[in-house]
Amino acid sequence: MILFAILIALLGLALTVGGIYLLTLGGSFYYALAGVILLFNAWLGYKRHPLTRTLFAVFLILTMLWSLWESGYDWWALAPRIGLFLVLAIPLLLSKVADNGRRKVLLPVWAVLALMTLGSLFANPHDLSGKLDTQVDSESPKLGNSPEGSWYAYGRTNMGQRYSPLDKITTENVGQLEEAWRYRTGDMKGPKDVGETTYEATPLKIGDTLYLCTPHNWLVALDADNGSKRWVFDAKVPPESQRQHQTCRGVSYLPPSSGEAPSAEKLDIAAETLAPVQCDAELFLPTSDARLIAIDPTSGARCANFADNGELDLTHNMPFKQAGYYYSTSPPVVANGVVVVAGSVNDNYDKNSPSGVIRAYDVKTGELVWNWDSGNPDETAPIAEDEVYTTSSPNSWSVASADEELGLIYFPMGNRTPDQLGWYRSENEEKYSSSVVALSLETGQVEWVQQFVHHDLWDMDTPAQPVLLDLDTVSGRQPALVVPTKQGDVYVLNRETGEPIFPITEKSAPQGTVAPDNASPTQPISALTFRPPTMTEKDMWGATPLDQMMCRIQFKSLRYEGQYTPPSEQGTLVYPGNFGVFNWGSIAVDPKRQVMFGMPLYLAFTQTLVRKDGSDMGPANQGEQGLNSNEGAPYAVDMKPLLSPAGVPCQQPPWGYVAGVDLKTGETVYKHKNGTVRDLTPLPLPIKIGVPGIGGPIITEGGVVFMAAAVDNYLRAYDLSTGEELWRARLPAGGQATPMTYLNSQGEQMVVQVAGGHGSIGTTIGDYVIAYKLKR
């Protein structure tokens, strides 16, 4: 009884003090009231009063009723609210101090509430169950130019569908997959490296060879049958070029004029030491020190015919050339005789940063064909040697798509740095920020633009590769473009005209910014959306009532009037946060069945404007999370996820789902929690909670979806029609890369996953490439 009194007194004191402070912020009365009751109960326990157990039983009942009222019958909401109190009741139940039979009151109450809490494990209030109609709607859809058993571009083709027509792996036999081979690149984070490496590469399969890049810009050629190394090209990126994060998502490929895929040689020397050669086929490797390197797929030597012996300096004509401020993390697009390159400009480092210009070069010579600068959008003829592009203009850091028949290339656009300070932007920069823009492959001229965030103050870049398919609609078949966004909207547009296929409406948005800024009075929303509802205090979460209370205090201390609440010196809650509902992993679309599979996730962030007063602000520019200095601007910005004192998200799970959508109707047919806490807790518990992730899915003709991405280090297979998990394989590191699939020389379907981890979400860093196939 004394032990109970001490524990309850400490907990009651903390809840009383914190609860009173929460009340002053306009928060819930429960914590202060609970604290007072617990303090009184502790005093009764210390006195060995007969009413001790009765009062605690009443407290448990009231807590359960309050929990059900706040959150419904949901394990992840109930257990943290009442679980600790059920545990603390055990000393009372075991105590032999006489209580005139009142132990009989507490025991049944405790048992019923414990069983109710345990039973909520089997409730599933957040899932939507349904079945996609997976009959074939289009017998001969456009799939792009990749041969059936190959993977020629990041999204398999320039259409970005992430769809393979292979059907040897099906929903019936996928459970028989086993590891076929694994390869380690040797490119691991070093002691002088940046704070964050992100291994996001999807290999290409060309002929009998796989080609993939590594975070430090090595290009690796592997035997597609057994994963053995054929050659490695090291771009030799200097350490001073590594700033915000070290990333390579993939390389690009120009097929030879003969159309016959080349075969890589097996070399015993470093490919970068070879003399340049004349190339017909070419691989294009973007680097973090702003180079584009053309490489012979056979030998790994540079291509002598492209630019300067195979190397193109992308800093040419840049207004500012700070090392590591501009780099190309995504593969360029090779289409219609040009290689088109965009680049990432560091967020919030300096208001005077390199331009976000997009440039097209002759695919064989490297000669500049056109340049499109969103700050000067009408002048696309190649810039003169003594001229410079627009300072800090909106960039496109993610993957682009192209329709060679229409002669258009589609870029997801970011915004001008600084992200949270909008008064530096010109009229043109405002027009093209946070949008998708269609450019002519021939001239670079704008054909159309559709914006998804007006006057973006939240880093809501359009992050994902647009997906191209021909879609059956009530108006007939239309050339469609599907664009997922950070804010949760999925826009479906006519890719020829930019006109919406699914309606776009405008909704009012919160106002009030720091001077001299302004906020857009309205923001667009798509009819197809995964936006979460506006967050409330009830959504705050934690492992115990104490960190729940602390999260509620954080929530009530921040400025938040819903999505698009402007940044502030007070600190603003941004939900969805910087990771977005969708990110660069994009979605996968089946063009035959005309359905979509995606991984929406939900994490709240905070953004605080820090007024500069000349004093030392401490370490800055350590990555996308933390303090970023915005050199030359009056405010720095501090960005971070909304976390509890225990380091877990303050918001109630689930945080991550898989979802299936019928694109003909725009209906979301299913939405299931995705991922477990296996790698989030000290105990390896495979409890499905719905976890965050970064990465993307692929769909196969066999009706199987493959995706890793989640933070619990698994590669999973799902049934496309229902979203049900069919198979999973444990990975040795984080699987934050999109997988791919191909046929080996024996006609077996292979699935390959890069497992190298991701610094932004703290998964295990590694250098693995792992292939799976069906058991023989």
Tab-separated table of all heavy atoms in Angstrom, residues 30 92 104 107 199 224 242 383 481 498 508 512 638 688:
chain	number	residue	atom	x	y	z
A	30	TYR	N	-9.147	17.232	-17.839
A	30	TYR	CA	-8.960	15.895	-17.280
A	30	TYR	C	-7.683	15.771	-16.464
A	30	TYR	O	-7.697	15.200	-15.363
A	30	TYR	CB	-8.950	14.837	-18.397
A	30	TYR	CG	-8.486	13.481	-17.905
A	30	TYR	CD1	-9.351	12.640	-17.202
A	30	TYR	CD2	-7.171	13.064	-18.080
A	30	TYR	CE1	-8.917	11.416	-16.712
A	30	TYR	CE2	-6.733	11.845	-17.600
A	30	TYR	CZ	-7.595	11.024	-16.918
A	30	TYR	OH	-7.172	9.823	-16.426
A	92	LEU	N	-2.318	-2.395	-5.325
A	92	LEU	CA	-3.535	-2.364	-4.513
A	92	LEU	C	-4.214	-3.727	-4.495
A	92	LEU	O	-4.704	-4.188	-3.460
A	92	LEU	CB	-4.510	-1.331	-5.069
A	92	LEU	CG	-4.396	0.110	-4.564
A	92	LEU	CD1	-5.474	0.969	-5.204
A	92	LEU	CD2	-4.492	0.182	-3.061
A	104	LYS	N	-13.078	-6.356	-3.338
A	104	LYS	CA	-14.020	-6.968	-4.271
A	104	LYS	C	-14.581	-5.935	-5.242
A	104	LYS	O	-15.080	-6.280	-6.307
A	104	LYS	CB	-15.157	-7.633	-3.512
A	104	LYS	CG	-14.718	-8.799	-2.648
A	104	LYS	CD	-15.887	-9.380	-1.876
A	104	LYS	CE	-15.418	-10.522	-0.968
A	104	LYS	NZ	-16.556	-11.074	-0.179
A	107	LEU	N	-11.312	-5.253	-7.932
A	107	LEU	CA	-10.911	-6.382	-8.777
A	107	LEU	C	-11.809	-6.534	-10.009
A	107	LEU	O	-11.302	-6.616	-11.132
A	107	LEU	CB	-10.883	-7.675	-7.964
A	107	LEU	CG	-10.424	-8.923	-8.727
A	107	LEU	CD1	-9.024	-8.714	-9.292
A	107	LEU	CD2	-10.466	-10.151	-7.823
A	199	TYR	N	19.528	6.658	-49.138
A	199	TYR	CA	19.734	5.739	-50.267
A	199	TYR	C	18.372	5.445	-50.892
A	199	TYR	O	17.613	4.629	-50.384
A	199	TYR	CB	20.423	4.462	-49.791
A	199	TYR	CG	21.173	3.751	-50.906
A	199	TYR	CD1	21.915	2.607	-50.655
A	199	TYR	CD2	21.135	4.217	-52.225
A	199	TYR	CE1	22.617	1.956	-51.662
A	199	TYR	CE2	21.825	3.580	-53.234
A	199	TYR	CZ	22.560	2.449	-52.947
A	199	TYR	OH	23.226	1.811	-53.956
A	224	ALA	N	22.666	-9.266	-63.910
A	224	ALA	CA	21.262	-9.346	-63.520
A	224	ALA	C	20.858	-10.738	-63.062
A	224	ALA	O	19.835	-10.901	-62.404
A	224	ALA	CB	20.368	-8.908	-64.678
A	242	GLN	N	29.024	18.142	-50.177
A	242	GLN	CA	27.990	17.418	-49.440
A	242	GLN	C	27.427	18.348	-48.366
A	242	GLN	O	28.084	18.641	-47.388
A	242	GLN	CB	28.577	16.157	-48.818
A	242	GLN	CG	29.211	15.222	-49.846
A	242	GLN	CD	30.055	14.147	-49.196
A	242	GLN	OE1	29.940	13.892	-48.009
A	242	GLN	NE2	30.917	13.521	-49.983
A	383	ILE	N	21.149	30.483	-73.042
A	383	ILE	CA	21.661	31.719	-72.447
A	383	ILE	C	23.095	31.971	-72.917
A	383	ILE	O	23.856	31.036	-73.207
A	383	ILE	CB	21.580	31.611	-70.911
A	383	ILE	CG1	21.737	32.969	-70.246
A	383	ILE	CG2	22.584	30.600	-70.387
A	383	ILE	CD1	21.426	32.942	-68.755
A	481	LEU	N	-2.815	12.799	-66.482
A	481	LEU	CA	-1.615	13.010	-65.679
A	481	LEU	C	-2.063	12.968	-64.219
A	481	LEU	O	-2.950	13.726	-63.831
A	481	LEU	CB	-0.999	14.371	-66.004
A	481	LEU	CG	0.339	14.720	-65.352
A	481	LEU	CD1	1.474	14.084	-66.142
A	481	LEU	CD2	0.527	16.233	-65.319
A	498	GLY	N	-3.746	20.404	-69.522
A	498	GLY	CA	-3.627	20.830	-68.135
A	498	GLY	C	-4.962	21.008	-67.444
A	498	GLY	O	-5.006	21.317	-66.241
A	508	SER	N	-11.237	28.539	-48.401
A	508	SER	CA	-10.622	29.610	-47.626
A	508	SER	C	-9.512	29.061	-46.751
A	508	SER	O	-9.553	27.911	-46.310
A	508	SER	CB	-11.670	30.316	-46.773
A	508	SER	OG	-12.286	29.399	-45.894
A	512	GLY	N	-2.827	35.902	-41.645
A	512	GLY	CA	-1.979	36.436	-40.578
A	512	GLY	C	-0.559	35.976	-40.703
A	512	GLY	O	-0.234	34.835	-40.357
A	638	ASP	N	13.113	27.289	-37.786
A	638	ASP	CA	13.384	26.049	-37.047
A	638	ASP	C	12.252	25.078	-37.364
A	638	ASP	O	11.083	25.360	-37.083
A	638	ASP	CB	13.445	26.338	-35.547
A	638	ASP	CG	13.951	25.140	-34.757
A	638	ASP	OD1	14.526	24.219	-35.359
A	638	ASP	OD2	13.763	25.112	-33.521
A	688	LYS	N	1.162	-4.313	-35.700
A	688	LYS	CA	0.813	-3.373	-36.763
A	688	LYS	C	0.199	-2.127	-36.154
A	688	LYS	O	-0.787	-2.193	-35.424
A	688	LYS	CB	-0.161	-4.013	-37.744
A	688	LYS	CG	-0.511	-3.087	-38.917
A	688	LYS	CD	-1.449	-3.744	-39.915
A	688	LYS	CE	-0.707	-4.752	-40.772
A	688	LYS	NZ	-1.568	-5.214	-41.903
